[in-house]
Every structure is written in C-alpha cells, then in structure tokens.
C-alpha cells in the first residue's frame, strides 16, 4: 500500500550548546540558589560561565533592547526570543525558545557582560506568593491557535461545539489513548486532532497506522477505533496525508511530546493531566473571558 505524505514546511532547529555548571561567585546569585533549594526543593539555579570575567573601567548599556541584542550576539545558537527586566538590579528574564532562564548582567565586563545564567530554577515573589518563572513559562508556551492549519486535523463537533480543543496526538501513544477516553466524555465541544506520529521522525514506516486513519472515508470514526485498540481496516492506496507537515509543525510550536492539548486562549497542557471536570472548568473560565466577565 502506498501513501503520499506532503511536506512543504521546512524548519531548522539548532540545539543549544552544552552548558557548563558553575555557581557564580556573587552574593545575590548564591542567595537565590539557596532560597530555591530550601523553599521549593526544585532543581536550583545554575550559573553558566563561558569565559572568565575581564575587568574593565568601561561599561555596556543595560536595558531590554541592549541586553537582547547583546545576548543574541554572544550566544547566536541559543534561540533567544526576548528579554524582560526583573525587579532585581541587572537580572533579566530570558526566553530561550519556549523556556525561561535568567541572566545576571555585569555592565563593567565589556568582553562578555552576559556570562552568568540561571537555568532550571524558579524565581518567586514570596510576598505575593507568585511563581514568576511558571507564569513566564506559561506565557512563552502559548500559541496563536488561529494560525493552526485545521485542514491537516481531524475535526469532530459534539453538540453546539462551543468549546474548542486542539489536540496533538499519536496513535501509538498510551497516554494519548487515555486522554482520548477522557475527551470522549466531553459534550458541547469541537476537537481538532493533529496526528503526529513521533516515531516517524526516525522511521517513516511508522507513518502507516496514522495514514490508514487519515485515508479512511470516516476519519473521526477511524481515529476513535484505533485509539480504542480495535483492528484497523485496509486503507486506500495513493492517499495523500499531512503527517509530515504535522511533524514539522510540532517542532515550530516546541511540542515536546504527546499528547499535548491547546485551549482557545493558546494555553497548553502536556500529557494526560486533566479529567473531564478539569476540562469543563477550563472551558467555563475561557467562556467567561470571551464574554468579558
């Protein structure tokens, strides 16, 4: 059986260079490191050093624009998207792809004022009880769902379909099957399912099961059947699928695994985290925002 998988989008991903763990010899950085460990037990802030600091009487300008330009010039392969000043002097929030890090800027070290990074830790406002890193990461991981190519998804509408989900799923994924079982309990919902056969990134033969679903006359029924573990029927030879396009899209939106679900507001959840009640609560909150309440 032969399938044609369209592939029109090209995306180049440059991995971050290997990071070197080294605690920064600075009181502020050290305090943040200890605070993170004692209060939260999370993996602590890690200082990244690439070059030894060079003393210099001159200094660089420190503002959002200059720090962003300086970081991109110093670390062009990091995939740095944006920077934002924090409440701490010379400490900036840095968005690296869809991750959040922090850089401690040393203006007097003109050779490399962006030597020290905090990676993998959490910046917390204890007075307001807000995890600023989680807040920033959630914002960084949002997408504009209106840009998603719905022609490459399997769409199912139940009831009025007022609530909308965008699901990235893999037919060979156990967690995806459990999520499918949860989603089957929802009513008044429209579900756009993008099939992303992750193993096909290394072996294109793994496209076949998803292709059988896409090439079925009733894709919704075929998808439901395979997710319930039923035996697949023979498909249509020569059917064109969007599966490789979906895999390319997964890279663009920094999809790290399946299942991943996006809501109308662009927020995402990864894995089988929510039960029916959880989805309904999120739907209610989004509908309330849409109505301006």
């Amino acid at each position: 059986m032969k399938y044609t998988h369209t592939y029109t989008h090209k995306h180049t991903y440059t991995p971050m260079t290997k990071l070197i763990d080294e605690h920064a010899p600075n009181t502020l950085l050290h305090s943040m490191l200890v605070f993170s460990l004692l209060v939260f037990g999370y993996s602590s802030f890690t200082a990244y050093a690439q070059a030894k600091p060079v003393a210099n009487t001159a200094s660089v300008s420190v503002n959002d624009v200059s720090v962003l330009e300086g970081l991109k010039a110093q670390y062009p392969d990091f995939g740095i998207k944006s920077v934002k000043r924090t409440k701490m002097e010379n400490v900036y929030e840095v968005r690296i792809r869809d991750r959040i890090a922090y850089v401690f800027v040393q203006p007097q070290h003109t050779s490399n004022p962006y030597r020290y990074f905090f990676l993998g830790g959490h910046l917390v406002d204890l007075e307001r009880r807000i995890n600023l890193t989680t807040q920033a990461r959630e914002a960084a991981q949002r997408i504009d769902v209106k840009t998603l190519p719905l022609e490459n998804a399997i769409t199912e509408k139940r009831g009025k379909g007022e609530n909308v989900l965008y699901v990235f799923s893999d037919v060979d994924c156990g967690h995806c099957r459990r999520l499918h079982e949860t989603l089957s309990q929802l009513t008044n919902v429209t579900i756009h399912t993008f099939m992303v056969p992750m193993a096909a990134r290394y072996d294109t033969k793994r496209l076949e099961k998803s292709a059988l679903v896409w090439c079925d006359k009733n894709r919704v029924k075929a998808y439901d059947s395979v997710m319930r573990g039923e035996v697949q029927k023979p498909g249509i030879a020569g059917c064109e699928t969007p599966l490789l396009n979906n895999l390319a899209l997964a890279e663009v939106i920094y999809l790290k695994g399946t299942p991943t679900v996006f809501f109308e507001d662009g927020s995402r959840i990864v894995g089988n985290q929510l039960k029916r009640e959880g989805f309904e609560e999120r739907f209610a909150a989004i509908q309330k925002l849409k109505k301006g309440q």
Side-chain angles (χ1 to χ4, degrees), residues 7-235:
Y7 186 57
T8 57
H9 182 87
K10 293 184 178 180
H11 174 71
T12 302
Y13 163 61
T14 304
M16 186 183 295
T17 55
K18 185 178 179 181
L19 302 181
I20 305 171
D21 290 336
E22 179 181 312
H23 296 321
N26 179 283
T27 304
L28 173 61
L29 308 193
H30 180 70
S31 298
M32 294 171 75
L33 170 65
V34 175
F35 232 7
S36 178
L37 281 169
L38 293 179
V39 180
F40 298 98
Y42 294 140
S43 59
S44 61
F45 295 104
T46 303
Y48 167 62
Q50 183 171 2
K52 293 186 178 298
V54 178
N56 197 312
T57 55
S59 64
V60 298
S61 174
V62 181
N63 56 62
D64 289 12
V65 175
S66 67
V67 172
L68 177 60
E69 292 176 348
L71 285 171
K72 285 185 174 182
Q74 190 73 39
Y75 310 109
D77 62 338
F78 270 29
I80 294 171
K81 300 295 184 182
S82 63
V83 301
K84 179 182 177 183
R85 184 189 297 268
T86 71
K87 296 291 185 180
M88 292 176 291
E89 185 179 3
N90 291 344
V91 176
Y92 280 75
E93 174 189 296
V94 184
R95 179 184 168 189
I96 302 175
R97 287 168 57 85
D98 65 335
R99 299 295 182 91
I100 299 298
Y102 299 91
V103 61
F104 176 61
V105 182
Q106 296 177 295
Q108 70 276 18
H109 293 157
T110 54
S111 63
N112 183 6
Y114 317 108
R115 178 184 178 188
Y116 294 111
F117 273 78
F118 303 109
L119 302 171
H122 290 249
L123 179 59
V124 179
D125 184 333
L126 291 178
E127 184 174 318
R128 293 190 296 159
R129 305 280 179 170
I130 297 175
N131 188 321
L132 300 174
T133 303
T134 297
Q135 198 175 67
R137 184 171 59 241
E138 288 176 353
Q141 292 181 345
R142 286 178 184 267
I143 66 169
D144 182 358
V145 294
K146 293 180 181 178
T147 66
L148 293 175
L150 299 185
E151 67 275 11
N152 293 343
I154 299 172
T155 298
E156 179 183 7
K157 181 179 178 180
R158 300 182 199 150
K160 294 182 179 180
E162 294 176 314
N163 303 298
V164 185
L165 293 176
Y166 306 84
V167 180
F168 285 76
S169 181
D170 186 342
V171 295
D172 289 315
C173 160
H175 288 293
C176 298
R177 294 193 183 97
R178 286 187 281 277
L179 174 66
H180 181 74
E181 184 178 348
T182 299
L183 297 183
S184 67
Q185 302 169 26
L186 300 176
T187 58
N188 190 21
V189 65
T190 299
I191 303 175
H192 302 289
T193 301
F194 293 84
M195 291 189 294
V196 280
M198 304 301 276
R201 293 176 297 177
Y202 316 105
D203 181 5
T204 54
K205 293 180 181 178
R206 301 296 293 272
L207 291 167
E208 186 168 345
K209 187 183 289 188
S210 298
L212 282 170
V213 172
W214 184 262
C215 296
D216 196 284
K217 292 181 180 180
N218 188 334
R219 292 171 183 164
V220 172
K221 185 177 179 180
Y223 178 73
D224 179 67
S225 176
V226 74
M227 296 309 280
R228 292 179 184 276
E230 298 176 7
V231 178
Q232 284 186 299
K233 298 177 181 179

